[in-house]
Amino acid sequence: MRRKLLLAMLMCGGVWWMGHSPAHAAVNYDKIIPASKKYIGVPYQWGGTTAKGFDCSGFIRHVYSSLGIDVPRTTTEMYRMGTSVKKSDLRTGDLVFFNTSGSGVSHAGIYIGDGQFIHSASSKGVMVSSVNDPYYWGKRYVGAKRVLAYRLQPGRFQDIPSSYWAYDEIRTLSEDGLILGYENSYFKPNEPITRAEVASYLGEYLQLDLSNRSAIFRDVPLEHWAVGAVNAMQKKGYITGSGGSFRPEETLTRAQLAAILTRVFDLKQPAVDQSFTDVSPSFWAYKDIQALAASGITTGYEDGTFRPEDTVTRAQFAVFLYRAAHE
């Protein structure tokens, strides 16, 4: 029994290192929360590194590896990397460490905002806990390390100057912790947003249960980073697929987004329709676009068009989401 306990401590807080390298250049940090929450409920397993069962460091490494971020295998080596962070300055993706064995760092998790971290606990498996829990974790908190490449403060991005048309909306969503952006504090405002990303943002905003990894759609397998978010949104009736597929990596049109936002925020039809020169009453998303306009989420373009088949950019989605959330 003592030997097994020692081995378990070595695996979760051990002294060897599998090696790590800097995060890849295109890592989207917004994937961290859905990619970790989809495993809630997976049991704890000593030495576990897969979805069949995780130990604490195995869980962290599995989640980060799935996103292209390499970290060491053990808690001790994770604690030796990165930059120390004060508890008051924690950001999503920081690693938080605890002393649960009475001697040094022996447990770790991923901070996910609002004073919470996600981890694989020996008692309940993958779960969300409070770093300030007065009964257990708060007393055992050791410190935190930043292993992600944040270059600017929350709300600030290198490619979003204060003069940018969507600056205020992007800044607010970032300060609220809903948008993290890409490594090195880039937002990539003109990049088209994908269907999986929209499902992820809205699922997290709505605080849905993201732990269902069932293969509801044939092209969103349990390994997909957004499977929990896609399934949660589908269960609520907010999104649909076609022919058993969801097409998670496809971009979203403005008409498709109007339909989703109308369902999510239960937008109402206006008493008097707004005229868009390129959206006829027979268009499939006509009512959704009208509801979107009536709520003030969109005003269309200056030339009187809505451009329903244009793809939605990350900046446009941020503005739509901000307005819908603050209507």
Side-chain angles (χ1 to χ4, degrees), residues 195-239:
R195 291 165 58 83
E197 288 172 334
V198 168
S200 174
Y201 282 124
L202 292 174
E204 183 62 22
Y205 170 78
L206 297 169
Q207 298 182 343
L208 302 182
D209 179 359
L210 309 184
S211 65
N212 180 3
R213 292 181 293 119
S214 302
I216 294 177
F217 297 106
R218 66 168 62 97
D219 54 354
V220 188
L222 58 88
E223 296 85 5
H224 195 282
W225 67 270
V227 61
V230 170
N231 288 347
M233 291 288 288
Q234 188 272 344
K235 181 179 180 180
K236 286 288 188 177
Y238 297 144
I239 61 173

Side-chain angles (χ1 to χ4, degrees), residues 8-198:
M9 288 173 60
L10 286 172
M11 290 302 294
C12 200
V15 295
W16 64 85
W17 182 31
M18 298 294 286
H20 81 282
S21 61
H24 296 172
V27 177
N28 183 350
Y29 291 165
D30 290 315
K31 295 181 179 180
I32 291 173
I33 291 180
S36 58
K37 281 189 174 181
K38 73 175 187 174
Y39 293 116
I40 289 176
V42 170
Y44 178 89
Q45 180 176 317
W46 165 71
T49 60
T50 72
K52 293 181 179 180
F54 296 108
D55 65 17
C56 64
S57 56
F59 170 66
I60 295 171
R61 193 165 195 265
H62 182 87
V63 170
Y64 275 6
S65 293
S66 71
L67 303 179
I69 303 171
D70 195 13
V71 296
R73 169 64 181 91
T74 68
T75 302
T76 295
E77 288 296 340
M78 288 179 185
Y79 191 60
R80 291 174 181 170
M81 69 182 296
T83 304
S84 295
V85 182
K86 295 179 180 179
K87 184 184 282 189
S88 58
D89 294 328
L90 285 171
R91 295 182 68 172
T92 297
D94 290 343
L95 302 184
V96 288
F97 298 89
F98 305 85
N99 177 358
T100 58
S101 65
S103 177
V105 173
S106 56
H107 189 73
I110 303 171
Y111 186 74
I112 57 173
D114 294 327
Q116 297 183 319
F117 70 104
I118 188 168
H119 60 127
S120 182
S122 58
S123 58
K124 296 183 179 180
V126 179
M127 61 183 296
V128 174
S129 302
S130 169
V131 295
N132 298 309
D133 171 25
Y135 301 104
Y136 193 81
W137 298 111
K139 299 175 182 178
R140 292 164 173 79
Y141 183 82
V142 173
K145 291 296 183 71
R146 181 157 299 159
V147 298
L148 302 184
Y150 287 121
R151 293 291 178 262
L152 301 176
Q153 295 299 311
R156 306 295 188 270
F157 297 97
Q158 295 199 60
D159 51 353
I160 305 293
S162 58
S163 59
Y164 188 70
W165 70 274
Y167 173 81
D168 288 334
E169 292 87 350
I170 293 171
R171 175 182 56 81
T172 300
L173 293 178
S174 175
E175 290 176 344
D176 289 344
L178 187 60
I179 287 178
L180 305 178
Y182 288 77
E183 64 179 308
N184 294 317
S185 296
Y186 284 96
F187 181 72
K188 300 188 179 182
N190 298 321
E191 185 170 292
I193 197 164
T194 68
R195 291 165 58 83
E197 288 172 334
V198 168

Side-chain angles (χ1 to χ4, degrees), residues 298-321:
T298 183
T299 56
Y301 290 90
E302 292 182 355
D303 62 359
T305 63
F306 180 75
R307 304 177 192 177
E309 301 303 336
D310 282 6
T311 56
V312 180
T313 67
R314 287 172 52 81
Q316 290 172 338
F317 176 77
V319 171
F320 281 5
L321 177 56

